[in-house]
């Protein structure tokens, strides 16, 4: 059996040419058998077809052609020792027994740079991240990447102050900011750390099952129903965390309030109360005052839960944390997946810094996971690894930012506003293609000459893309 061994940025990737395969296609689109998202590789670059006992190489209409042993060809049979070149990638044909041993790829330096289109921004190792604060009382969940913005330092300070107390805490923040993570931090750092941390996702529990889920259910309350402990009993001597408690009906909220105040619960179908002892933390992604006005949250329950309120800022409000989070997640997730990633291109890094992250840290983590899943080992992550929505929402945000600036004015200068929007779109295109003005023009659907004229009129220089507002 033959194999193809590809040298992808110093990482050797093996593609077996199994005897049961009739055709193998290679190109830069994910629907190919061999996925090669690299410079110079066409979407459907070449194919290998099995003919009797040999493999036949054919060009599939690629833009740059294919080379076999340094010679441009359109079709040919291949044999062990042959080298196929598609774009910047070289693939060596080998017998299975001649496969190279896996090589150890040295880790990049913290910062690396060059002149190519995919200049690398190196990893920032988690172990060497700078710590500018010290909160010895706090025990953060394993793997949590800490920001160091002043907004997050305020959150850590509040957690540090109340870690050893028993006060109830309400976390307020958008979806994906990490409210449950910080509730867990509070639990692990407090006197109840030896007890359980029980999280209740109130929005995910059907209303008709919610009472039994919280308080438990007695023996033989219904046919084939066995006695079952509820979440409140499970949290005994620990911490009970309610996520979106306003999702429960008001009548159930009243029972929850009574249980919290009396430290007694009545399982469904039983008359004898059970004593419980737990600390209560809760979270909401909406303003409590609005929920109370809308009749979705009892005001007395709110005051019981919110002895202390801690607001977790949205990711777009703490952009200074993005470099640490992006690089930290890249290393953390690549280590978890067992896939070495060489680095990240400057244009992708710039795009990730400019994105507004409506899903906050959770969305950033999902984006990084998706990029690493699509990448080959040893590859440099680039813009083709992220969904289009990143660029679409970034552009939308840039335009909306200009309009918001003029929102409170009694009148606006139409030409100045159009020029500001145009300037931001050009800077965005240059950040994606910093070394190639022609590609930046193609991205904007204008000619390179037209783009140069606009840049000259607006006072834009190519190096300005690193200073995007």
């Amino acid at each position: 059996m033959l194999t193809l061994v590809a040298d992808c940025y110093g990482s050797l990737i093996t593609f077996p040419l199994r005897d049961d395969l009739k055709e193998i296609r290679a190109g830069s689109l994910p629907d190919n058998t061999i996925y090669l998202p690299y410079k110079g590789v066409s979407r459907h670059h070449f194919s290998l077809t099995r003919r009797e006992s040999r493999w036949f190489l054919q060009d599939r209409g690629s833009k740059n052609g294919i080379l076999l042993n340094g010679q441009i060809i359109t079709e040919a049979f291949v044999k062990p020792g042959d080298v196929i070149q598609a774009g910047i990638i070289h693939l060596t044909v080998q017998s299975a027994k001649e496969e190279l041993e896996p090589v150890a790829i040295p880790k990049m330096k913290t910062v690396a740079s060059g002149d190519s289109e995919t200049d690398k921004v190196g990893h920032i190792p988690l172990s060497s991240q700078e710590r500018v604060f010290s909160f010895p009382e706090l025990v953060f969940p394993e793997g949590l990447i800490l920001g160091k913005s002043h907004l997050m330092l305020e959150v850590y300070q509040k957690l540090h102050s109340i870690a050893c107390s028993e006060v109830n805490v309400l976390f307020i923040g958008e979806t994906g900011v990490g409210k449950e993570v910080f509730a867990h931090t509070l639990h692990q750092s407090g006197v109840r750390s030896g007890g359980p941390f029980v999280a209740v996702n109130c929005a995910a529990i059907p209303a008709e099952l919610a009472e039994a889920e919280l308080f438990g259910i007695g023996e033989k309350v219904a046919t084939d129903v066995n006695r079952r402990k509820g979440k409140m009993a499970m949290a005994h001597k620990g911490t009970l965390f309610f996520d979106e408690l306003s999702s429960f009906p008001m009548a159930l909220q009243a029972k929850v309030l009574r249980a919290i105040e009396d430290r007694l619960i009545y399982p469904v179908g039983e008359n004898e109360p059970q004593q419980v002892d737990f600390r209560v933390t809760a979270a909401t992604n909406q303003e409590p005052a609005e929920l109370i006005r809308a009749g979705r949250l009892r005001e007395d329950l709110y005051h019981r839960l919110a002895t202390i309120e801690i607001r977790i800022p949205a990711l777009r409000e703490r952009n200074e944390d993005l470099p640490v989070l992006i690089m930290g997640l890249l290393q953390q997730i690549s280590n978890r997946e067992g896939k070495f990633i060489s680095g990240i291109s400057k244009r992708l890094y710039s795009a990730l810094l400019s994105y507004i992250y409506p899903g906050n840290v959770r969305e950033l983590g999902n984006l990084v996971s998706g990029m690493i899943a699509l990448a080959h080992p040893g590859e440099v992550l680039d813009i083709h690894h992220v969904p289009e929505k990143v660029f679409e929402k970034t552009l939308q945000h840039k335009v909306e930012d200009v309009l918001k600036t003029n929102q409170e004015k009694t009148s606006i200068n139409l030409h100045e506003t159009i020029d500001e929007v145009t300037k931001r779109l050009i800077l965005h295109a240059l950040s994606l293609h910093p070394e190639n003005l022609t590609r930046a023009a193609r991205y904007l659907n204008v000619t390179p000459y037209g783009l140069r004229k606009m840049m000259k009129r607006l006072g834009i220089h190519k190096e300005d893309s690193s200073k995007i507002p």
Side-chain angles (χ1 to χ4, degrees):
M1 184 179 77
L2 298 181
T3 61
L4 283 181
V5 179
D7 185 354
C8 302
Y9 289 100
S11 176
L12 300 181
I13 308 170
T14 301
F15 302 99
L17 305 181
R18 300 197 316 270
D19 294 340
D20 60 323
L21 297 175
K22 293 184 179 179
E23 184 184 47
I24 291 172
R25 292 177 298 157
S28 61
L29 289 183
D31 62 353
N32 288 283
T33 317
I34 301 176
Y35 177 40
L36 298 172
Y38 301 101
K39 188 175 181 180
V41 180
S42 296
R43 289 182 289 184
H44 296 99
H45 203 106
F46 68 84
S47 67
L48 284 161
T49 308
R50 189 166 179 79
R51 296 190 178 180
E52 297 180 354
S53 59
R54 303 174 68 189
W55 286 95
F56 189 66
L57 173 66
Q58 284 183 297
D59 191 323
R60 305 292 292 190
S62 64
K63 183 177 180 181
N64 299 317
I66 52 174
L67 278 71
L68 182 64
N69 301 324
Q71 301 295 318
I72 296 178
I73 59 102
T74 54
E75 55 184 30
F77 283 101
V78 297
K79 62 184 184 301
D82 285 345
V83 178
I84 303 167
Q85 182 177 348
I88 63 170
I89 299 300
H90 293 75
L91 303 99
T92 304
V93 182
Q94 296 183 348
S95 298
K97 62 182 179 181
E98 296 173 348
E99 285 183 18
L100 297 179
E101 292 294 322
V103 294
I105 305 168
K107 287 188 176 180
M108 291 181 60
K109 295 178 181 178
T110 301
V111 178
S113 62
D115 298 323
S116 68
E117 188 179 63
T118 55
D119 283 350
K120 300 173 186 177
V121 178
H123 284 134
I124 300 172
L126 293 177
S127 58
S128 65
Q129 283 185 17
E130 180 186 4
R131 285 209 169 204
V132 294
F133 51 82
S134 177
F135 299 109
E137 299 295 326
L138 294 182
V139 180
F140 293 100
E142 186 178 355
L144 177 64
I145 300 170
L146 299 174
K148 56 182 182 180
S149 63
H150 73 279
L151 290 175
M152 290 311 297
L153 291 178
E154 288 177 9
V155 172
Y156 306 146
Q157 183 61 62
K158 287 182 180 179
L159 292 172
H160 185 261
S161 299
I162 62 175
C164 294
S165 74
E166 288 281 275
V167 297
N168 296 335
V169 182
L170 177 64
F171 293 91
I172 303 172
E174 295 178 5
T175 298
V177 295
K179 298 184 292 293
E180 184 172 341
V181 170
F182 292 113
H184 210 158
T185 298
L186 202 55
H187 167 73
Q188 292 183 166
S189 308
V191 294
R192 295 179 179 269
S193 58
F197 177 83
V198 179
V200 183
N201 183 353
C202 304
I205 304 174
E208 63 273 14
L209 301 178
E211 187 170 348
E213 190 72 18
L214 286 181
F215 302 112
I217 192 166
E219 190 77 31
K220 303 300 181 184
V221 170
T223 306
D224 297 328
V225 173
N226 296 320
R227 183 181 182 83
R228 188 173 74 247
K229 288 175 71 172
K231 299 290 188 183
M232 288 186 169
M234 293 178 186
H236 187 60
K237 297 299 182 183
T239 301
L240 183 64
F241 173 72
F242 288 113
D243 192 9
E244 301 303 332
L245 189 56
S246 59
S247 300
F248 282 160
M250 297 294 273
L252 182 56
Q253 290 185 34
K255 293 183 178 181
V256 170
L257 174 61
R258 185 66 180 267
I260 292 172
E261 289 180 336
D262 297 344
R263 303 292 178 178
L264 294 173
I265 60 171
Y266 290 83
V268 175
E270 291 190 357
N271 296 319
E272 290 297 319
Q274 293 179 15
Q275 191 164 15
V276 288
D277 176 26
F278 48 73
R279 182 183 192 173
V280 178
T281 54
T284 179
N285 59 22
Q286 298 180 62
E287 285 298 324
E290 293 177 7
L291 292 171
I292 291 169
R293 276 196 301 270
R296 295 178 53 199
L297 178 65
R298 290 180 62 101
E299 188 170 5
D300 49 1
L301 177 58
Y302 161 69
H303 290 303
R304 173 59 68 177
L305 295 174
T307 306
I308 297 290
E309 282 189 2
I310 297 181
R311 292 180 179 269
I312 311 298
L315 191 49
R316 64 181 173 276
E317 296 171 354
R318 50 186 185 102
N319 287 337
E320 58 267 49
D321 286 337
L322 274 174
V324 175
L325 290 171
I326 291 169
M327 292 306 183
L329 285 167
L330 272 171
Q331 182 170 350
Q332 186 183 91
I333 295 172
S334 61
N335 287 344
R336 185 183 71 204
E337 298 296 322
K339 182 184 283 188
F340 172 76
I341 300 298
S342 293
I344 178 172
S345 71
K346 284 183 176 177
R347 58 184 177 182
L348 173 56
Y349 186 63
S350 175
L352 292 177
L353 290 177
S354 301
Y355 187 46
I356 57 173
Y357 299 99
N360 293 293
V361 179
R362 182 184 295 140
E363 183 180 11
L364 174 58
N366 289 338
L367 274 176
V368 172
S369 292
M371 291 191 296
I372 291 173
L374 286 174
H376 287 308
E379 189 177 358
V380 175
L381 297 176
D382 205 355
I383 55 175
H384 59 268
H385 290 111
V386 296
E388 279 296 319
K389 69 173 183 178
V390 171
F391 306 112
E392 291 171 0
K393 284 194 176 290
T394 300
L395 283 173
Q396 178 186 340
H397 176 63
K398 291 179 187 300
V399 175
E400 287 176 350
D401 195 37
V402 175
L403 298 177
K404 187 184 292 185
T405 303
N406 294 307
Q407 201 170 36
E408 297 179 0
K409 295 181 180 179
T410 55
S411 65
I412 63 172
N413 186 308
L414 179 62
H415 296 293
E416 287 181 2
T417 303
I418 291 173
D419 282 351
E420 182 61 25
V421 170
T422 303
K423 184 175 182 178
R424 295 202 180 204
L425 295 181
I426 290 174
L427 286 170
H428 179 70
L430 292 175
S431 73
L432 297 180
H433 304 285
E435 307 297 331
N436 196 317
L437 201 67
T438 301
R439 289 188 180 179
R442 191 183 306 150
Y443 178 81
L444 294 169
N445 281 297
V446 297
T447 65
Y449 175 73
L451 178 57
R452 287 192 189 93
K453 281 189 67 176
M454 285 189 284
M455 289 172 64
K456 184 176 181 180
R457 182 175 66 82
L458 297 170
I460 301 173
H461 303 283
K462 284 178 69 175
E463 57 271 20
D464 292 339
S465 62
S466 62
K467 303 176 248 181
I468 296 175

